[in-house]
Amino acid sequence: MAFWTWLRQRFVKKPVTRDVVRLESAGSDVNIVAEVVDTSGGPVRAGHLRRAIRDPRLLPKKKPALSVYRHRGKRKKVMEAALANRLFSASLRTRNREIRDLLADPEQLGRYSLPVWHTEEELAAALGLSVRRLRYFAIHRMRERVCHYVTFAIPKRKGGERVIMAPKRELKKIQRQLLHALIQQLPTSPQAHGFQFDRSVRTNAEPHRGRRVLLQLDLANFFPSVHVGRVCGYLASLGYGYIVAQTLAILMTEAERQRVDIDGQIYFVPVSSRYCVQGAPTSPGLCNALLLRMDRRLNGLARRFGFVYTRYADDLTFSGDEVDAVHRLRAAAEFIVRDEGFKINRAKARISRRSARQVVTGVVVNDVVGLSRQERRRLRAAIHQLGRETDPARRQEIESRLRGKLAYLHMLNPSQAAKLQVRLPGSIGPATPK
C-alpha cells in the first residue's frame, strides 16, 4: 500500500492547495477546509490581461514523499531572514490570499509604459535610496516616534476647515520622484479636469455652457475613501508584485495620528487607516487614475441620457437639455458612485436651470463662461479704489492682488478681462496674448 502511495506522489501531479477554515457562504452548512491555488500563470480575473504570476516561495509546500530511507537533514532555506521579517510584518499584512504571493508582470507594466520594479531593491535604486532607508519611510507603525507629515488646517470658503497633511522634505522628495516616474504615466479619463496638465476650471465648465439643466454632485470624504488597500490593489492590477505595490502604497498614503505621551516619550499613534492625504504631491494624480472606471461609467450613463459629464476632483457635473430626465440620471449616477466605493454628499447635490445662475466650479456657464456680474462689479470697484490710494505700499499690495484676479478672469473670458483692464491706472493688468 505504501508503494502505491509513493508512486502517486511521485508521478501524479496534484493541484496546489491551501488549507483554509471558513464558511462557503453565509448560512451554509458546508465548510471549506482547502482551496486550490491557481499556478497556471493565466489572467488574475476573467477578461483581464494581468497574469497571476506567483512567488513559489510563498506557495504551500509539498509534503515529502514516503521513503524508507528518509533522513532528518537540514531544511532548505526559502528566503533571507530580513525579507521574511519584512514580508510577514504588519506593514505587508493582508487578508487577500489571491494578491499576497503575486509577482510582477512585465508585459502588463509595458502596456502602460510604467517602470518595471520587481523588488524593493530595484525600487530603492530607482529612488536613490538604500533598502533600509526605503523601508524606514514605507512602514506602518502603531507607535511612530517621528511623524513624517506636518498637519495644519485652512478655512474653507463656505465654512469649516480643510485638514492638510504635508510631507516633510525627504518624504516629499521621494513622492515627487514617484510623481514623475509613475503617477504621471497612469491612464486618466478625458472627463477629469482637476490636477491635469493643460486643463483647468475653464475646461471643466466649457462643455456645460448654455445647457437647459445642470446637475452637480459631490463625493463625500473623497481623499479618505482612497485608502491604502485600494491603492495597493490598483498598483497590483497594473502589473506590480504585491511587495512593491504595498511599499508604493505606504509611501503615498498616511493615517491621521494623535500625539500621545507615554512615560515621557512622545509617540504619534494612528487613529484611522492610511489614505491619500491632501498635501502629498502624489494624491491628486493617483486619485484621478483610480477614478478612471467610474468616469467611464458615468460618461456612458450621461451619453445615454443625452447629457455631458465632467469631473473636477470630487465635483461631478452633468448638463443637458432633457429636463425631465435629470432625476433619473441622478438616481443612476448615485448607484454607480456607490458601486465604485464612494458616497454622495447629499447636502451639496444641486439641480439648476437656465432661469437661475448656473455655476460650475466657481465659473458661470449660463450664456458665456466667465465670472458673475456681481463679481465683476466688485472687481471694477476695487480698480476704482486703487486710483484713490495714496500709500505706495498699500497701493502695491492692492495692485498685485488685482493682477492675479484679472489674470484669472482673462483665463476664463478674455473679453470680460479686457473691459476691466482698460480702467486700470498705468495699464497694470495682464497683457493680452497675441
Side-chain angles (χ1 to χ4, degrees):
M1 193 68 181
F3 175 73
W4 295 111
T5 304
W6 176 82
L7 280 179
R8 285 198 302 270
Q9 293 178 347
R10 185 77 176 177
F11 298 105
V12 178
K13 272 193 172 182
K14 289 185 177 181
V16 180
T17 59
R18 180 187 293 118
D19 294 334
V20 295
V21 180
R22 60 180 174 84
L23 292 177
E24 183 178 11
S25 61
S28 175
D29 296 331
V30 180
N31 290 337
I32 299 177
V33 297
E35 64 180 5
V36 178
V37 182
D38 182 16
T39 58
S40 63
V44 176
R45 294 182 181 179
H48 288 217
L49 296 177
R50 207 277 193 219
R51 296 180 298 160
I53 306 175
R54 309 211 173 266
D55 191 343
R57 298 173 299 178
L58 300 177
L59 294 177
K61 305 300 182 291
K62 295 181 179 179
K63 294 181 180 180
L66 294 175
S67 174
V68 295
Y69 301 105
R70 182 186 301 172
H71 59 87
R72 295 183 178 181
K74 191 175 181 181
R75 290 186 177 182
K76 185 178 179 181
K77 192 173 183 180
V78 177
M79 64 180 66
E80 298 294 331
L83 178 59
N85 292 334
R86 170 67 173 168
L87 186 59
F88 295 98
S89 65
S91 299
L92 300 186
R93 189 176 301 161
T94 178
R95 297 179 181 178
N96 190 349
R97 293 176 179 266
E98 298 297 326
I99 194 177
R100 173 79 187 207
D101 50 13
L102 281 181
L103 292 176
D105 185 357
E107 294 183 7
Q108 179 76 345
L109 292 171
R111 294 186 185 100
Y112 295 99
S113 302
L114 298 177
V116 180
W117 297 320
H118 292 90
T119 61
E120 285 185 312
E121 287 76 12
E122 295 181 7
L123 175 60
L127 297 176
L129 302 171
S130 64
V131 177
R132 183 176 181 180
R133 195 63 178 169
L134 173 68
R135 290 176 179 173
Y136 169 72
F137 291 104
I139 191 171
H140 179 72
R141 297 184 180 92
M142 297 308 294
R143 294 195 306 173
E144 186 76 62
R145 290 189 177 184
V146 179
C147 187
H148 300 302
Y149 287 77
V150 177
T151 304
F152 57 94
I154 59 176
K156 293 183 179 180
R157 184 179 60 178
K158 296 184 179 180
E161 291 183 337
R162 188 184 307 277
V163 178
I164 304 297
M165 299 175 65
K168 294 182 180 179
R169 182 179 61 181
E170 190 171 359
L171 180 57
K172 181 179 287 188
K173 178 182 177 182
I174 295 173
Q175 291 180 349
R176 283 176 175 168
Q177 289 177 293
L178 293 175
L179 174 65
H180 296 296
L182 174 64
I183 302 301
Q184 291 182 348
Q185 314 304 323
L186 299 178
T188 58
S189 69
Q191 289 76 36
H193 293 262
F195 319 111
Q196 295 281 78
F197 178 74
D198 204 23
R199 297 184 189 178
S200 62
V201 293
R202 184 185 186 281
T203 61
N204 181 65
E206 181 66 35
H208 307 287
R209 178 173 60 88
R211 300 282 181 165
R212 291 184 61 191
V213 63
L214 191 70
L215 169 64
Q216 293 174 288
L217 302 176
D218 183 85
L219 299 180
N221 299 321
F222 174 54
F223 284 99
S225 298
V226 186
H227 53 80
V228 62
R230 178 174 285 188
V231 176
C232 177
Y234 173 71
L235 294 175
S237 69
L238 294 178
Y240 287 108
Y242 172 73
I243 298 178
V244 174
Q246 183 72 348
T247 300
L248 289 169
I250 295 176
L251 284 174
M252 296 184 291
T253 59
E254 174 60 337
E256 297 176 8
R257 296 183 180 269
Q258 182 176 350
R259 183 187 177 100
V260 178
D261 187 348
I262 303 178
D263 297 332
Q265 179 67 49
I266 301 298
Y267 294 97
F268 299 92
V269 180
V271 294
S272 70
S273 62
R274 302 182 71 98
Y275 61 90
C276 289
V277 297
Q278 296 189 66
T282 53
S283 293
L286 188 57
C287 291
N288 272 338
L290 278 164
L291 265 65
L292 172 63
R293 188 175 68 173
M294 189 186 79
D295 286 340
R296 287 176 173 175
R297 295 179 66 182
L298 291 177
N299 185 57
L301 174 69
R303 292 177 61 182
R304 190 176 70 185
F305 282 90
F307 277 62
V308 177
Y309 164 74
T310 62
R311 180 180 60 83
Y312 193 94
D314 57 350
D315 294 327
L316 316 179
T317 307
F318 302 83
S319 65
D321 296 325
E322 296 293 332
V323 179
D324 297 335
V326 67
H327 294 287
R328 287 180 290 144
L329 172 64
R330 175 179 175 176
E334 290 184 357
F335 173 81
I336 292 177
V337 170
R338 287 194 304 269
D339 190 54
E340 292 293 330
F342 294 91
K343 294 181 180 179
I344 292 293
N345 187 351
R346 293 183 175 272
K348 293 185 177 180
R350 184 173 59 184
I351 298 176
S352 54
R353 305 185 183 186
R354 290 201 65 182
S355 57
R357 181 186 299 173
Q358 295 176 326
V359 181
V360 179
T361 54
V363 181
V364 178
V365 294
N366 286 75
D367 296 314
V368 297
V369 175
L371 294 180
S372 65
R373 185 176 303 173
Q374 289 79 358
E375 290 175 332
R376 282 180 283 141
R377 284 176 176 175
R378 284 195 292 266
L379 186 55
R380 185 185 301 113
I383 294 174
H384 179 72
Q385 287 294 118
L386 177 64
R388 298 184 176 184
E389 186 61 51
T390 57
D391 185 5
R394 177 65 177 167
R395 180 183 178 86
Q396 185 177 6
E397 179 184 354
I398 299 176
E399 185 176 316
S400 300
R401 193 182 304 117
L402 289 175
R403 282 179 182 271
K405 291 182 177 181
L406 277 176
Y408 175 70
L409 178 58
H410 187 275
M411 181 266 295
L412 297 178
N413 193 318
S415 61
Q416 290 182 355
K419 295 177 181 179
L420 296 175
Q421 181 182 347
V422 295
R423 296 174 174 271
L424 286 167
S427 300
I428 66 170
T432 303
K434 296 181 180 179

